[in-house]
Amino acid sequence: MRFCRIAAIYVMCLGAWAAAGYTVAQIKSFVESAIQLKNPDKEVAETLRTMKLSERLDVDTVEALQAKGAGSKTVAVLKEMATESAGLPPAQAPPAKPVYVPPPPPSSEEQAKLLDEVRDYAINYTQRLPDFICLEQTRRYVDTTGKESWRLSDTLTARLSYFNQKEDYKLVSQNDRVVTETSYASVGGALSMGDFGTGMRDIFDPQSHATFEWEKWATLRGRRTHVFSFRVPLEYSRYTIEYQGEQKTDVQRITVGYHGTVYVDKEFSTIARITQEADNIPPTFPVREAKETLDYDFIKIGDSEFFLPLVATVRMHSGREWTKNEKEFKLYRKFSADAVIRFDAEQSPGDKPKEPEAPK
């Protein structure tokens, strides 16, 4: 009875076309719906016998419906319908999906002007920031297969202070355990710092001799962005990679060239994302690969909004081990001598804190 009601409703919905006959697309839709609803094969076949075609049903369509799960009785009726409709006009092809045509890239003059604006923004970025504190939570993952089989290694929570254009990291917890004596840099493993303007300034500093090329339009968090690729040659680079061996005194450091992309917000000409990847890593250096993606978004501090780091992902490959750090920046507050980031009573410092109110 349930199927009869469904079939009756479906046929009633198609009643406007019944006099002229059903199209192949309508027959396909009916059978596919019946398969999805697991309607009895016999009753589907009986309903099909009442449906007159207005177009030619080909064997390929019948076989495709059979492959999707149409029952033997349904397939037998469909084959009969294919034979009976051999003299009818061929089925109309479905309308082509509209092809998205992106807007043309800016002219070379517009690109040059935009890059000049972004260069000024990047070089002076830190000078425009207020003094603030925030919470940086880093989830560190390890993979020994090279197949994205990530295993959570630990979670670090740090209080990050930005004062007089300098960053200071104070470790708060590691794996939900409150930490008071250990420095952030001494926990070992893969770490990255300098997210608040150092990277973007180095890319756009004229002394870096970076080259830029227009790449594409993109949409990032619902906003239209320009995407430029860039490359900083080794001889002018300030990008360093540090590797610490089993002994804390066994530290190796190299400088590498790098390349990546810069996403520029179309409306505000601010940097919304930076990706970068190391080049020229010597074959004898333990780290074989280093990549980073850093996203910025509007964050409210006090009564004003600023483009500040939102999330970052750092990937490195060393020997048989791949590491991935996923960082979140939260709970931005104005800096003051007694400024604190408070947790709810039921939260430990290592737990995920409640998000601040979204900027209006």
Side-chain angles (χ1 to χ4, degrees):
M1 291 296 295
R2 179 174 175 273
F3 169 75
C4 292
R5 286 196 297 270
I6 293 172
I9 291 171
Y10 191 92
V11 174
M12 284 173 63
C13 291
L14 297 178
W17 294 280
Y22 297 101
T23 66
V24 170
Q26 290 164 351
I27 295 294
K28 285 177 59 181
S29 179
F30 169 69
V31 175
E32 289 168 351
S33 296
I35 293 170
Q36 186 176 5
L37 293 169
K38 297 182 172 28
N39 294 143
D41 180 29
K42 179 180 178 181
E43 294 173 350
V44 177
E46 289 176 354
T47 303
L48 281 172
R49 289 189 186 280
T50 68
M51 301 172 75
K52 178 183 176 183
L53 277 167
S54 64
E55 299 176 332
R56 185 190 312 156
L57 177 64
D58 58 62
V59 176
D60 289 343
T61 301
V62 176
E63 291 177 350
L65 290 170
Q66 184 177 17
K68 288 183 177 182
S72 59
K73 292 182 175 61
T74 299
V75 171
V77 174
L78 288 171
K79 287 181 178 179
E80 293 175 9
M81 295 174 74
T83 301
E84 293 170 357
S85 65
L88 295 176
Q92 294 185 359
K97 294 182 179 179
V99 178
Y100 171 71
V101 179
S107 66
S108 56
E109 293 80 7
E110 290 171 329
Q111 292 179 34
K113 181 181 178 182
L114 176 59
L115 285 171
D116 284 341
E117 292 176 2
V118 177
R119 181 175 291 106
D120 177 76
Y121 169 83
I123 292 174
N124 296 293
Y125 173 77
T126 57
Q127 299 175 23
R128 297 169 178 151
L129 293 182
D131 294 333
F132 61 83
I133 62 171
C134 71
L135 200 71
E136 180 193 274
Q137 193 166 63
T138 304
R139 292 177 175 86
R140 303 197 295 182
Y141 299 85
V142 176
D143 171 27
T144 56
T145 68
K147 299 179 180 179
E148 300 285 315
S149 299
W150 297 107
R151 172 180 57 83
L152 180 63
S153 174
D154 63 3
T155 300
L156 305 176
T157 303
R159 177 186 185 271
L160 195 158
S161 303
Y162 186 83
F163 181 69
N164 286 340
Q165 301 178 31
K166 293 182 180 178
E167 300 170 32
D168 179 67
Y169 294 79
K170 178 177 176 56
L171 190 63
V172 174
S173 72
Q174 183 174 15
N175 293 334
D176 296 339
R177 181 177 58 85
V178 175
V179 176
T180 57
E181 303 296 332
T182 306
S183 69
Y184 185 76
S186 66
V187 296
L191 291 172
S192 64
M193 292 178 279
D195 297 306
F196 289 85
T198 303
M200 70 165 70
R201 185 180 64 242
D202 287 347
I203 293 170
F204 284 91
D205 188 334
Q207 294 184 12
S208 294
H209 295 269
T211 55
F212 296 88
E213 291 186 6
W214 167 267
E215 187 165 305
K216 62 182 180 181
W217 290 105
T219 301
L220 186 62
R221 290 182 291 280
R223 301 182 63 84
R224 178 60 60 87
T225 60
H226 306 268
V227 182
F228 289 91
S229 60
F230 73 88
R231 185 174 296 275
V232 176
L234 172 61
E235 55 268 32
Y236 300 107
S237 174
R238 290 189 285 266
Y239 182 13
T240 61
I241 302 175
E242 186 175 291
Y243 178 83
Q244 180 178 297
E246 295 183 2
Q247 301 296 324
K248 290 188 176 181
T249 55
D250 180 18
V251 177
Q252 301 179 55
R253 183 183 295 108
I254 60 170
T255 300
V256 296
Y258 59 107
H259 69 277
T261 55
V262 177
Y263 289 63
V264 179
D265 186 273
K266 182 178 184 294
E267 182 178 358
F268 296 101
S269 298
T270 51
I271 294 175
R273 172 180 287 175
I274 297 174
T275 73
Q276 57 188 45
E277 181 175 354
D279 298 323
N280 317 111
I281 299 178
T284 56
F285 192 70
V287 176
R288 303 305 313 134
E289 181 181 67
K291 300 178 180 179
E292 181 172 1
T293 299
L294 174 59
D295 278 36
Y296 296 81
D297 202 358
F298 285 111
I299 303 293
K300 191 172 185 179
I301 299 180
D303 296 326
S304 302
E305 287 186 331
F306 302 88
F307 244 50
L308 289 165
L310 180 68
V311 292
T313 302
V314 181
R315 292 174 177 248
M316 301 184 79
H317 173 206
S318 176
R320 296 182 179 180
E321 184 174 271
W322 285 258
T323 61
K324 178 178 68 171
N325 291 5
E326 293 183 346
K327 300 199 294 185
E328 295 180 76
F329 302 89
K330 309 173 181 180
L331 303 178
Y332 282 91
R333 299 287 186 269
K334 272 188 174 182
F335 180 90
S336 64
D338 58 349
V340 295
I341 298 178
R342 298 187 184 278
F343 296 87
D344 288 346
E346 69 273 12
Q347 281 184 315
S348 71
D351 290 335
K352 186 176 181 180
K354 289 187 177 181
E355 297 288 354
E357 183 179 353
K360 295 179 181 179

